[in-house]
Amino acid sequence: MTISRRTLVQAAAAAAILPAPAIGQATAPAMRPIPSSGEQTPAIGLGTWITFNVGDDPALRDECADVMGAFFEAGGRMIDSSPMYGSSQPVIGYGLDRLGRPETLFSAEKVWTSSAAEGSAQLERSRSFWGVQRFDLLQVHNLVAWEAHLQTLFEMKAAGQIRYVGITTSEGRRHDLFKEIMGSHPLDFAQLTYNIVDREAEEQLLPLAAERGIAVIVNRPFRQGALTRQLDGKQLPEWAKEIGTATWAQFILKFILSHPAITVAIPATTRVNHVRENVAAAHGAFPDTAMRKQMAAYVRDL
C-alpha cells in the first residue's frame, strides 16, 4: 500500500505520540514519525556541539562514550554532529567503537564548507571519523553554500548513499531564506532553534514544516545551558507534576516536544545523569495547548 505524502503530513500535524517497543528496559521514549517516510524515531536525540569537542584526552573521550552508552540504553537513536564541532566527530567514532557499534544508531551529520567542490571530500572525512557505512541524514549546516551542497545531497540520496536530506539554522538566523528553501525543495528534515523562550519558529517555520511534511530537529533547547542555569534554584510549579516533570530540563523539553510539528530535540550534555534525565522527558504525558501557554507564562514571569 502506498502512503500519500498528505497522509504523512496529517499524521505529523496530529503529533501522534506512539509508544515505542521496549529496548532492554521497562519503557522507552515516545516516538515520532518522519513525515517523508513514516519511519518512527525517538523524540529525544543527542547533540554534540561543544560537549564532545574534547580532543584526544582519553578520560574525556571515555566520558563521552559513557554518555552515548547511557543514551542508547535509554532508547535514544539520533546523534547529531558537524565538521564545525571540533573533535566531536572522531570522539563519536571512538564511542561507537567502544560500544560495539549499536545497530539502533541514527547518524545525523552536516556539510559545512563555503567551497562547493570541497563538500564531497568533507563528507567522506566525516563518514570516516564516525566509522559508519553511510549517514542516515545529511544536512547543509547554517545554509553555507546551500545550493551546491543540496544538489550533492539529493544526488547522494537518489544513489542510496544517504537516507534523508536536511538544512539547519540556529539562534533565529536567516529565517526568511530558510523558509524559502523549505517551501521550494523536497527536504526530509529542517533543524532550527526552538524552546520555551525562543519561539520565533512558531510563526512561520513550524507551520510550514507541518504543511510540507518536513521533520523538525530542535537545536539549542536549553540555550546552550544558559536557560537551565537561569532557572536553577527556582521553584517548579506544582502543576508540572501533571505531566511527570521533575526538573527544569524536563519542563523545557516537554514544552518543545508538545508542539505538533516537532520531531526530535537534540540536547547536548557531558553527564550520564543528564542524558537519562533528558530522554525521560519523552516519557509520559505532554502538555496540551492550555498548559503550554501556562508553562511559557510561568517561565516568562520568573
Side-chain angles (χ1 to χ4, degrees):
M1 180 179 68
T2 300
I3 302 175
S4 72
R5 189 175 183 85
R6 177 175 294 274
T7 299
L8 291 169
V9 171
Q10 290 172 341
I17 312 301
L18 303 179
I23 308 177
Q25 54 188 41
T27 59
M31 306 289 280
R32 296 282 171 90
I34 299 171
S36 65
S37 67
E39 177 184 358
Q40 298 289 322
T41 185
I44 294 291
L46 180 64
T48 59
W49 167 235
I50 296 181
T51 54
F52 276 39
N53 184 20
V54 298
D56 295 323
D57 186 300
L60 294 179
R61 281 188 163 218
D62 282 341
E63 287 181 8
C64 291
D66 289 342
V67 166
M68 292 171 62
F71 174 71
F72 286 120
E73 184 179 346
R77 288 190 61 205
M78 180 185 288
I79 297 179
D80 176 88
S81 192
S82 168
M84 176 186 171
Y85 299 172
S87 63
S88 294
Q89 295 171 316
V91 169
I92 290 171
Y94 171 81
L96 293 174
D97 281 340
R98 212 187 79 170
L99 296 170
R101 297 268 151 194
E103 295 181 359
T104 54
L105 169 70
F106 185 107
S107 52
E109 187 52 81
K110 307 179 185 78
V111 57
W112 182 68
T113 173
S114 58
S115 169
E118 169 65 12
S120 295
Q122 185 186 76
L123 289 171
E124 179 56 27
R125 286 195 299 272
S126 297
R127 190 195 64 77
S128 178
F129 283 139
W130 282 61
V132 295
Q133 184 173 358
R134 67 173 183 174
F135 287 113
D136 293 295
L137 165 63
L138 283 178
Q139 307 154 93
V140 180
H141 194 172
N142 286 337
L143 306 184
V144 174
W146 69 269
E147 292 173 295
H149 294 321
L150 263 189
Q151 180 178 343
T152 297
L153 299 190
F154 283 131
E155 289 172 355
M156 291 178 70
K157 181 181 176 181
Q161 296 171 323
I162 59 174
R163 299 172 61 216
Y164 299 107
V165 174
I167 57 175
T168 82
T169 188
S170 63
E171 302 180 69
R173 292 176 292 195
R174 306 183 75 182
H175 275 194
D176 287 344
L177 177 57
F178 204 77
K179 177 186 174 185
E180 178 184 329
I181 299 169
M182 287 176 64
S184 58
H185 292 76
L187 301 172
D188 301 296
F189 281 85
Q191 182 179 146
L192 48 81
T193 297
Y194 178 66
N195 55 59
I196 201 166
V197 293
D198 297 310
R199 300 176 61 187
E200 182 184 344
E202 289 180 355
E203 298 174 10
Q204 295 183 325
L205 297 187
L206 296 184
L208 180 60
E211 176 187 334
R212 295 277 296 170
I214 300 172
V216 176
I217 300 173
V218 171
N219 59 40
R220 295 176 59 88
F222 305 139
R223 285 187 159 185
Q224 204 172 309
L227 184 53
T228 46
R229 287 193 297 270
Q230 175 187 338
L231 295 170
D232 187 39
K234 294 182 170 59
Q235 186 70 37
L236 272 170
E238 185 67 22
W239 41 264
K241 295 177 182 178
E242 297 175 21
I243 52 172
T245 299
T247 67
W248 279 114
Q250 293 178 345
F251 188 92
I252 295 165
L253 288 171
K254 279 186 176 286
F255 177 88
I256 292 168
L257 297 178
S258 65
H259 192 289
I262 301 304
T263 310
V264 185
I266 51 169
T269 183
T270 60
R271 292 171 52 177
V272 165
N273 63 320
H274 283 174
V275 79
R276 289 174 176 154
E277 174 187 343
N278 293 341
V279 176
H283 293 249
F286 289 85
D288 59 16
T289 301
M291 183 176 281
R292 280 175 54 82
K293 292 179 180 178
Q294 189 177 13
M295 294 168 80
Y298 188 86
V299 170
R300 181 196 64 214
D301 294 339
L302 282 176

